[in-house]
Amino acid sequence: MAPTNSLADKPTDGPAWVKYGQDVFKESRKLAAEGKITVEQDFTTQQEVYEHFAETYDECLTSHDGYRAPIIAAEETCILLGANSSAKILDIGSGTGMVAERIREKGYTHIDAFDPNKKSCQVAQRKGIYERIYLTEASPKAAELKLILDNTFDLVVSAGTFWVSPSYPGVYMLEELARVIKPGGMILLVVNEEYIQGEWQDWGVVTDLEERGILKGRPVKLVPNYRMNAAVSDTNQGKPPNGAVVVYDILK
């Protein structure tokens, strides 16, 4: 079984693009969670949307969807890094660079990108906002972080990427992310609150990492209006979904 939405019928205007993209993502996520399509099929379906969407992605999400995750991520980065403007940051699921643009506005300019979508990375490269772009071969996985040396970054940030569906980054990446972060550094994840409820995550992985002294999770902070478009919410009773700010402190 494959998602029924066809890219051959993709819309051309912004509001329709947003609805189309969300419909495709929801259907693919549901089918993957139910085991009706493979993780690879889920990944391919969603990446095809990003490929077609890349050139207008920023405008559609900000103007027609009210997507606030990059703003939230930048604000939380300021809280975590303070005056450390020389901090090195890795943006996981960086896409077209919306998060990095907001973070740079706050004075943090040493940012690398990590994303599997070639066209989105090309858009980001034209913006000149990253020092280095890691174009991964498939859905970002822990093994692909082997390209990065130990203790490289002060902060890993990701907005709208973790726990979205079975093919997206999840708890399995945390240990390898901890490796590339300096002791005392942090992982900052900003997501739709509903995503951390996905049944495809094994949260025992986090417990194990905490017991081994690799990282320590902070209490999840909920923030309103992750997206102003209430239609993207599956559970929030017709209201815009909340955002969840998830922070892990790296201990060693």
Side-chain angles (χ1 to χ4, degrees), residues 60-86:
C60 286
L61 261 69
T62 54
S63 299
H64 306 298
D65 194 31
Y67 183 56
R68 296 186 64 254
I71 297 173
I72 297 168
E75 292 172 348
E76 295 296 327
T77 295
C78 284
I79 293 172
L80 295 176
L81 293 180
N84 184 12
S85 60
S86 63

Side-chain angles (χ1 to χ4, degrees), residues 147-212:
L147 300 170
I148 302 173
L149 297 176
D150 294 1
N151 305 325
T152 298
F153 297 98
D154 298 281
L155 177 72
V156 166
V157 62
S158 183
T161 299
F162 268 68
W163 307 307
V164 173
S165 78
S167 70
Y168 277 63
V171 294
Y172 60 82
M173 275 191 85
L174 294 178
E175 183 167 4
E176 189 66 1
L177 287 177
R179 179 188 65 77
V180 305
I181 299 173
K182 302 171 186 176
M186 292 151 289
I187 299 171
L188 166 62
L189 310 176
V190 178
V191 298
N192 184 328
E193 179 192 8
E194 296 166 19
Y195 295 166
I196 63 177
Q197 302 166 8
E199 296 180 356
W200 50 84
Q201 297 300 321
D202 178 6
W203 293 103
V205 171
V206 177
T207 301
D208 176 68
L209 293 173
E210 290 183 325
E211 291 177 348
R212 290 160 55 198

